[in-house]
Amino acid sequence: TNQTTSKTFMYFRINTRKHMAVVSAVAFYLWMFHLQTQLIKNHTNVDSMNAKMTEQLTLLRSMNANPRQKIDTKTNDHPSTESKAPVQLPDGYDVLDVGSSKGGMSITFLASAVSKLRFIDADTVERLDARELGLDYDQTKVDACNAVEKDTRNDCRLFNILSDTESDLSDIGTRTISGNSYHHVLEHIPECDMAEKMWVKAAAFSKRFSSFHGPAYDNEMTAVGEAPTGVHRFWENWSGHTCHFNSAMMERAIRAVPKTTAFVVINFGKMSTTDHDIFVPADTPKNSHHYDPETMSARDIEPLDPPLYEQMRACAIYDVDPEEHMSLYAALCLLDAFRVPHKLFQMDQQIVVCSVPGAEVDDDECATTLKAMAESTIRRFEQLHTDDVLLSI
């Protein structure tokens, strides 16, 4: 029995040693495999890190050329490759040009102003696609206007600003109507009360501004319907000027629009004597133009006190907070009002009345403030990328 037990123990011990040797060998090889794997993995991580660093450096260099490219901060891996569709303005019109007549003049107001801006992106002006809709109650003039504007983005249609409503414009598209323009229109309205109502009515269609150009009528020398009794500005005796629309009427119409937040009315072309060719003698035929000494009678050169002016411009804006958030098109309207007409460049001007929110200042200081606000707004928009500009329209 002892011999049998001894043999069994020896057999077990020998087999146990063999088993331990096998286990040790397997453990050794597993450890070697793990070590090799870790080395390979570490090597791969280094390569991966190097690759990522190279990629990030390349990205940073490209961002110097394209500051709008962003790193995907969620994955910290590749730059975001998701490209958003470019902003596109809806179909429609930016401005209603009331009284476009035969086209080609006031209907180009906004597009002309936008074309002069210097945006940082080359495609901003094109993508703004500034468009105006000319309105007139005379179908013959509407047809003539459309013929003139056929190669532009502008259109003209039959519309009576006093009797027609917003629903009559429901088919023109969904673009925001930023403003309206009355350029050499209100003096042709049969009654001045009606002219003021037209201003208020057009403002109801407009979100950001109303613009005015017209002849100056302050301190008129010849009243509507009366024969001249002396030297006068030639347009004061025109049969087509049935309303001598002056700055007092302009201010009253502007203030009649509750949403007005700022405005300015300016007379241009100061004249202290009648020694200018716009003054004609009393016997000059109705509907004449500038003074012509060869066909008109002699005239006396007289001092003018108060001085008279040649043109009047105005702009009213409807931005809720123009001091902090003036819109691009409101700023363009204001700068247009401040811009001296070319032929009157060397003549003085008069700030008739001005209003700016949050400031109790005189008219001249108000105008300086309002002009600076508009210029600052223009500079800010010129530094924005196209999509950001379009989102503000």
Side-chain angles (χ1 to χ4, degrees):
T1 303
N2 289 337
Q3 187 177 1
T4 302
T5 302
S6 177
K7 287 181 180 181
T8 301
F9 177 75
M10 289 296 294
Y11 174 82
F12 176 77
R13 188 168 136 186
I14 291 169
N15 279 280
T16 299
R17 286 178 178 176
K18 289 180 180 180
H19 177 71
M20 291 181 64
V22 170
V23 171
S24 298
V26 170
F28 175 77
Y29 283 114
L30 286 174
W31 179 79
M32 289 293 292
F33 177 77
H34 174 73
L35 180 61
Q36 186 178 13
T37 301
Q38 287 296 106
L39 289 173
I40 294 172
K41 184 177 180 181
N42 291 338
H43 181 71
T44 302
N45 286 341
V46 171
D47 288 345
S48 178
M49 290 176 63
N50 287 336
K52 287 181 180 179
M53 290 177 65
T54 302
E55 186 178 288
Q56 294 297 326
L57 289 172
T58 303
L59 175 60
L60 288 172
R61 293 190 187 100
S62 69
M63 288 179 68
N64 288 331
N66 181 11
R68 290 173 64 79
Q69 188 174 6
K70 296 181 179 180
I71 298 175
D72 188 341
T73 55
K74 292 183 179 180
T75 62
N76 197 29
D77 192 1
H78 299 290
S80 176
T81 57
E82 295 181 4
S83 57
K84 295 183 179 179
V87 176
Q88 184 175 359
L89 293 177
D91 194 25
Y93 302 90
D94 301 286
V95 173
L96 301 179
D97 181 46
V98 186
S100 294
S101 189
K102 299 178 181 180
M105 298 179 66
S106 58
I107 199 172
T108 66
F109 156 65
L110 183 64
S112 176
V114 169
S115 69
K116 295 179 176 65
L117 301 180
R118 297 293 178 262
F119 295 105
I120 59 173
D121 289 344
D123 65 344
T124 305
V125 171
E126 180 182 358
R127 287 177 57 194
L128 274 171
D129 184 31
R131 302 181 63 188
E132 297 198 33
L133 179 65
L135 306 178
D136 207 291
Y137 61 85
D138 185 332
Q139 185 64 57
T140 301
K141 290 182 178 179
V142 170
D143 293 340
C145 180
N146 279 320
V148 171
E149 299 296 324
K150 66 179 181 179
D151 295 325
T152 73
R153 297 285 286 160
N154 302 323
D155 296 296
C156 307
R157 69 183 292 163
L158 192 68
F159 191 87
N160 187 318
I161 193 67
L162 283 177
S163 61
D164 291 339
T165 65
E166 191 170 358
S167 63
D168 295 306
L169 294 177
S170 61
D171 60 337
I172 66 172
T174 58
R175 184 180 300 194
T176 298
I177 298 175
S178 288
N180 68 84
S181 54
Y182 278 110
H183 290 187
H184 294 274
V185 173
L186 296 182
E187 65 271 19
H188 297 282
I189 306 307
E191 298 177 359
C192 290
D193 286 347
M194 184 184 298
E196 292 183 36
K197 291 177 182 177
M198 290 175 62
W199 177 273
V200 175
K201 181 66 178 293
F205 292 99
S206 308
K207 183 176 181 180
R208 307 190 187 285
F209 73 85
S210 294
S211 172
F212 172 88
H213 289 189
Y217 272 109
D218 290 358
N219 304 306
E220 62 184 351
M221 306 174 85
T222 299
V224 175
E226 296 182 2
T229 58
V231 173
H232 58 281
R233 290 172 288 197
F234 64 82
W235 58 81
E236 294 180 338
N237 194 30
W238 276 10
S239 57
H241 284 194
T242 48
C243 167
H244 289 187
F245 197 78
N246 59 35
S247 63
M249 299 173 189
M250 183 78 264
E251 180 182 1
R252 187 163 55 239
I254 290 173
R255 292 189 183 277
V257 179
K259 64 181 179 180
T260 302
T261 53
F263 69 88
V264 65
V265 180
I266 308 174
N267 280 332
F268 291 95
K270 179 180 179 180
M271 297 168 289
S272 298
T273 74
T274 58
D275 189 18
H276 294 269
D277 64 359
I278 68 168
F279 292 101
V280 296
D283 61 352
T284 302
K286 184 184 287 288
N287 299 324
S288 296
H289 286 262
H290 295 79
Y291 180 68
D292 182 357
E294 295 185 2
T295 60
M296 299 178 183
S297 60
R299 60 177 185 174
D300 295 330
I301 304 301
E302 304 171 355
L304 296 172
D305 187 19
L308 298 184
Y309 293 84
E310 188 167 338
Q311 293 189 34
M312 180 171 73
R313 290 189 178 186
C315 173
I317 61 175
Y318 310 130
D319 292 331
V320 175
D321 185 8
E323 187 173 6
E324 295 294 331
H325 303 288
M326 184 180 293
S327 60
L328 174 62
Y329 290 166
L332 289 176
C333 173
L334 284 170
L335 291 188
D336 173 75
F338 283 110
R339 187 172 294 110
V340 180
H342 177 67
K343 294 182 180 180
L344 309 179
F345 190 76
Q346 296 186 4
M347 302 172 73
D348 290 338
Q349 61 197 50
Q350 175 195 29
I351 305 298
V352 182
V353 62
C354 177
S355 176
V356 65
E360 295 294 334
V361 295
D362 62 34
D363 291 326
D364 288 338
E365 187 175 349
C366 168
T368 299
T369 300
L370 201 54
K371 185 178 181 181
M373 288 166 55
E375 291 173 337
S376 175
T377 297
I378 296 298
R379 290 194 297 269
R380 176 170 59 86
F381 274 98
E382 286 181 326
Q383 296 306 308
L384 295 180
H385 290 283
T386 306
D387 281 0
D388 297 322
V389 177
L390 268 59
L391 287 171
S392 75
I393 299 302

